[in-house]
Amino acid sequence: MNPLGIHALVWAGDLSPASTRHVIEQTRQAGYDLVELSLHGPRLMDLALTRDLLQEHGLGVGCSRGLTFEADVSSEDPAVVARGLALLQEGVDITARLGGRYFGGILYGAMAKYGHPCTPRGRRNAIEAVRRIADFAGERGVTLGLEVVNRYESNLLKTAAQALEFIDEVGQPHVCVHLDTYHMNIEEADLAAPVLACGQRLGYVHIGENHRGYLGAGHIDFAQFFGALAQIGYQGTVTFESFSSAIVNEQLSNALAIWRPMWEDGMDLALHARGFMADGLASAQQARA
Ligand code: FUD
């Protein structure tokens, strides 16, 4: 059975000590194996406390973030690239200090709607930056996940094929593809072929509905996606991601255009999602046995 994770924004919009305690306690209570902490917004985290709470509750951890226009490794401006590199380095460092082994997201550019395509020089800068950070991450036992997102959140990696090509050019171990069903629904022709194309290079998965609310309440063909995961023998983490205007992290929620109250009760949502993912993964595996 794959480790099941949940994104912290189901529980809280910040990572102050009180929110972190809430996030970790709720994650454990809802029966998840891992929590994904989102490193957006003001830095309120108490790393020692977070690490202790994770240990006390027997939970795994991963971290994620997207870059910004001011700190964008796919920029042509060396100062902007340097700020992006600093954010990536900080993300790897926080992940390692929490005892995590995964740092993912839009690590190759800004998590934002660009008004222009990525330039060839910008793409080369992004490749060089990810290569450097992959070295730094590898030394700390952390793998980088390049999350493939939709056209309104990146101008660089919108499909699994683009991510695979990019990773080939990076040419480093410790870099994997991170697929998310919400984004795939917008950009890919179907939900199976990209998974099969990634094969063993798929390192992390986000499960999200097309409206980012309750799983099964939209039109994503999860059976097709879980079937493809079973086909490649995917053993990695499967993390539920959902957003509602009920829980706000200003930087992240605004970047993702989270304007609607998709749900109010995070625990009800989380329990439902856990059952949905466990059943879906188990049926896909049984169908192949
Ligand atoms: C963004 C997304 C998220 C994001 C993460 C950052 O649309 O899908 O996975 O990268 O929440 O913490």
Side-chain angles (χ1 to χ4, degrees):
M1 181 65 177
N2 305 78
L4 295 182
I6 187 162
H7 193 279
L9 257 279
V10 168
W11 309 118
D14 68 77
L15 291 173
S16 65
S19 297
T20 301
R21 184 177 291 280
H22 177 69
V23 164
I24 290 172
E25 283 173 3
Q26 298 291 99
T27 297
R28 181 77 272 177
Q29 249 182 56
Y32 284 84
D33 306 302
L34 171 139
V35 65
E36 179 180 321
L37 301 178
S38 184
L39 307 181
H40 291 95
R43 194 64 72 242
L44 305 167
M45 270 173 110
D46 178 335
L47 289 178
L49 172 77
T50 308
R51 196 185 168 118
D52 287 351
L53 284 169
L54 289 164
Q55 266 168 14
E56 184 188 323
H57 290 81
L59 269 191
V61 67
C63 293
S64 63
R65 73 159 307 133
L67 298 180
T68 61
F69 284 138
E70 296 72 41
D72 176 359
V73 295
S74 73
S75 165
E76 293 202 347
D77 179 341
V80 175
V81 171
R83 287 198 289 271
L85 274 165
L87 280 188
L88 294 180
Q89 197 161 322
E90 179 196 60
V92 170
D93 189 52
I94 290 175
T95 306
R97 286 169 65 187
L98 294 178
R101 308 185 66 83
Y102 182 77
F103 176 52
I106 300 96
L107 309 182
Y108 47 82
M111 182 176 69
K113 182 179 180 308
Y114 284 82
H116 54 82
C118 187
T119 63
R121 195 157 112 223
R123 187 172 183 280
R124 281 199 302 278
N125 286 348
I127 288 170
E128 178 55 31
V130 171
R131 191 179 289 142
R132 277 175 63 179
I133 297 298
D135 265 345
F136 180 77
E139 286 158 11
R140 286 155 185 79
V142 172
T143 294
L144 301 182
L146 304 188
E147 183 174 8
V148 180
V149 294
N150 73 75
R151 64 192 70 186
Y152 306 111
E153 293 177 33
S154 168
N155 63 357
L156 199 47
L157 303 186
K158 282 93 54 203
T159 64
Q162 287 175 324
L164 288 168
E165 202 184 322
F166 187 95
I167 289 173
D168 278 344
E169 288 177 62
V170 169
Q172 288 273 23
H174 316 296
V175 185
C176 65
V177 183
H178 169 163
L179 291 180
D180 178 322
T181 53
Y182 161 78
H183 297 293
M184 293 171 79
N185 172 61
I186 297 172
E187 299 292 348
E188 305 276 11
D190 70 67
L191 301 184
V195 172
L196 304 184
C198 288
Q200 295 312 304
R201 289 196 285 172
L202 181 64
Y204 198 84
V205 160
H206 272 165
I207 299 296
E209 224 353 313
N210 63 283
H211 50 32
R212 306 197 112 165
Y214 271 80
L215 298 182
H219 63 244
I220 298 268
D221 186 349
F222 288 108
Q224 187 186 49
F225 185 73
F226 290 139
L229 291 185
Q231 207 175 323
I232 63 164
Y234 179 72
Q235 307 279 318
T237 300
V238 174
T239 291
F240 172 55
E241 186 174 67
S242 180
F243 301 99
S244 167
S245 55
I247 301 279
V248 175
N249 170 310
E250 203 172 291
Q251 200 188 78
L252 183 60
S253 306
N254 288 351
L256 306 187
I258 306 304
W259 316 134
R260 285 201 286 153
M262 301 305 298
W263 41 261
E264 294 289 337
D265 182 346
M267 183 54 83
D268 185 66
L269 175 89
L271 289 170
H272 172 269
R274 200 193 162 284
F276 188 98
M277 296 192 299
D279 290 351
L281 289 161
S283 333
Q285 271 155 19
Q286 273 154 26
R288 289 200 62 78

